[in-house]
Amino acid sequence: EALSVLAQIARDDPKSAAQPSFHALKGAACVLAEDEDCAAKELGSPDFDKEPELGLWRGVTAAWNADWPKAARAFLDGAGYLAFYPPRLRDRFALEAAEAMIETDRATSAGPLLDLVLKDGADEREQAMALFLRGRVDHQLGQLQPALDLWTKVAAMNDRKARARALYAKAVALY
């Protein structure tokens, strides 16, 4: 719906649609709609390099493309804004950011992000992913048994994606 309204604004007022704030809003709407091409286009402007809050949104687009160094930098820029987001969006960004930290060998930076998700009773899908990622943090920090225990717990949860990732991580770690 937001993208439709923004398209109408662009038709009715092209001058407003040319403003960076319009592109930021459209980029955020594209992220929420999971439209990767649109989000990358709207949020990719160098005008946004000095807008730290947009780091959260830009981090998601980089994570979609598994550009982990870019995602990690973007999330680090915007991490201070996470507390101001509604829980569902905050948890989504925190999970993406935690994975980016893990993928760039910053496991200790992922811990507080995962704590943020787990402390407020996130839904089962988000809890499962947070526990899976917590296992990756433990594994990266050389704590194999706690990682295996977490992955076993995740494998028993009712989230197919997290369960598959946990079982795979467990198999690779044991191998």
Side-chain angles (χ1 to χ4, degrees):
E1 289 177 24
L3 288 171
S4 295
V5 171
L6 291 169
Q8 187 62 47
I9 292 170
R11 285 189 294 276
D12 292 347
D13 188 1
K15 186 176 179 182
S16 290
Q19 298 299 314
S21 59
F22 180 88
H23 291 284
L25 184 59
K26 186 173 179 185
C30 293
V31 167
L32 294 176
E34 298 184 6
D35 183 338
E36 296 178 29
D37 294 334
C38 173
K41 176 184 171 208
E42 296 299 329
L43 296 173
S45 170
D47 292 340
F48 299 138
D49 289 348
K50 294 184 180 167
E51 297 292 337
E53 185 176 0
L54 287 178
L56 296 173
W57 301 87
R58 293 171 110 185
V60 170
T61 63
W64 282 340
N65 295 309
D67 186 345
W68 300 117
K70 184 176 180 180
R73 282 190 307 276
F75 282 125
L76 287 171
D77 287 345
Y81 292 92
L82 278 173
F84 301 107
Y85 279 78
R88 296 260 318 166
L89 196 53
R90 179 200 63 211
D91 292 349
R92 177 181 174 184
F93 287 157
L95 289 170
E96 294 275 3
E99 187 162 16
M101 296 305 132
I102 293 165
E103 291 292 338
T104 57
D105 296 323
R106 295 179 177 126
T108 55
S109 297
L113 295 163
L114 297 172
D115 291 342
L116 191 61
V117 174
L118 293 169
K119 78 172 181 152
D120 286 338
D123 70 26
E124 186 174 4
R125 187 185 128 268
E126 291 164 338
Q127 285 182 9
M129 190 55 68
L131 291 172
F132 161 71
L133 291 171
R134 172 74 69 198
R136 289 201 54 207
V137 167
D138 287 347
H139 187 245
Q140 201 172 78
L141 296 175
Q143 300 171 359
L144 180 60
Q145 193 56 52
L148 295 173
D149 293 344
L150 282 169
W151 292 331
T152 299
K153 182 177 180 177
V154 172
M157 296 176 83
N158 197 27
D159 181 72
R160 292 176 61 154
K161 181 179 179 181
R163 180 175 45 242
R165 292 182 75 184
L167 290 171
Y168 180 75
K170 185 176 178 180
V172 168
L174 289 172
Y175 180 71

